[in-house]
Amino acid sequence: TLLRDGFILVFNQPKLDIVKTAEALVAAGISNMEVTCRIPAPLEAMRRLRAAMPEFVIGAASLVDSPAFLDRYAQANADDPIPSVEQVVDAGVDYLVSAGAFRSETYDRFGDRLIFMPGCGTVSEIATQFSLGANLVKVFPASQLGGVKFVKGVDAPLHKFVPFVPTGGTNAENIPDYIAAGVLVVGGSFSAVDPNAIAHAEAGDYTDLTAELTRLKALVDTHRAAAHPSVDWTTATTQQVADATGRCFNL
């Protein structure tokens, strides 16, 4: 699904209805969404979305895979603790996203049924997480790391083998450049969307948001088709995408 969609929206707008936002994505041809644990009551949001849309692909983001960190954070923020990996899995998510590393124990426990997307910012981090079983590697924060130049810089020494998902500062202007640099899936927050569309959605009208997401999906589709003319993104299996692009998804 992530490869077919080519775009992952980071849901970080608690004023929007999470189900209606997912419905806008589906109307735009996108069947997944990344729900950040930085919104209030993220587990409740994930459970509500799973119950309302059983076939929709849900990611849990802003995970911190460190029991000691989570314990100390919870002691200081008892009313709003960060969910653990186990808790988001119980909430019914399909893929796991972090700004940093996942532990080897987490890969061992959940790697056979969930997609892992750790956040990495160096060649060593990328190689280590990929060797543990990362399926996609989140380049985050992409713009602060150098954007397209960073992706090109780390891709070459890693032999263009690892599939990257740049997130942070991606927009309609730089998405074509990321795809030209070898990126197959782009992560984006609402900063890539017209603020007026967000305001209208907050007021209950998701028409403009659907149009904005449709525009982003078409942009991704157009440039991926140009970069990989042999791939039919609507029907290709993960293995067929791997064969055509040279990227390994650790499946």
Side-chain angles (χ1 to χ4, degrees):
T1 299
L2 300 180
L3 290 173
R4 183 182 67 237
D5 290 350
F7 182 78
I8 299 172
L9 178 68
V10 181
F11 185 82
N12 58 3
Q13 297 287 323
K15 292 183 180 180
L16 297 185
D17 184 275
I18 194 167
V19 174
K20 290 181 179 179
T21 301
E23 290 172 343
L25 282 163
V26 171
I30 300 169
S31 299
N32 88 92
M33 181 165 66
E34 179 181 309
V35 182
T36 175
C37 290
R38 288 179 288 169
I39 63 172
L43 291 173
E44 179 182 333
M46 294 171 197
R47 293 190 189 104
R48 177 169 174 253
L49 181 55
R50 171 56 67 224
M53 303 177 67
E55 302 302 319
F56 192 75
V57 175
I58 305 170
S62 300
L63 296 170
V64 180
D65 190 21
S66 167
F69 182 100
L70 295 180
D71 286 345
R72 290 167 189 167
Y73 187 90
Q75 290 172 17
N77 302 271
D79 294 335
D80 188 27
I82 301 170
S84 67
V85 170
E86 291 79 3
Q87 287 175 310
V88 300
V89 172
D90 289 342
V93 303
D94 303 290
Y95 63 98
L96 307 173
V97 188
S98 68
F102 286 107
R103 297 175 298 147
S104 60
E105 297 93 330
T106 306
Y107 282 106
D108 292 341
R109 185 173 178 185
F110 299 112
D112 61 338
R113 57 192 175 105
L114 295 174
I115 295 298
F116 279 75
M117 194 187 310
C120 298
T122 67
V123 170
S124 294
E125 289 174 350
I126 294 165
T128 298
Q129 286 293 293
F130 185 75
S131 68
L132 289 173
N135 307 105
L136 300 161
V137 170
K138 176 180 178 179
V139 176
F140 180 81
S143 59
Q144 284 84 351
L145 287 170
V148 175
K149 289 183 179 179
F150 177 83
V151 171
K152 289 181 177 179
V154 298
D155 200 24
L158 289 168
H159 303 272
K160 299 184 177 182
F161 194 57
V162 178
F164 296 118
V165 180
T167 306
T170 53
N171 53 47
E173 286 68 40
N174 57 34
I175 284 175
D177 295 329
Y178 276 116
I179 293 174
V183 168
L184 306 179
V185 181
V186 180
S189 70
F190 284 84
S191 61
V193 174
D194 184 342
N196 290 323
I198 300 173
H200 294 161
E202 288 177 353
D205 184 356
Y206 286 73
T207 304
D208 290 345
L209 178 59
T210 301
E212 284 287 287
L213 295 171
T214 301
R215 176 181 63 86
L216 289 169
K217 171 64 172 167
L219 181 69
V220 169
D221 288 348
T222 297
H223 287 274
R224 287 200 306 179
H228 306 283
S230 66
V231 179
D232 182 347
W233 296 96
T234 62
T235 62
T237 65
T238 303
Q239 187 58 54
Q240 288 170 335
V241 174
D243 293 341
T245 64
R247 304 289 169 171
C248 175
F249 303 101
N250 270 333
L251 296 175

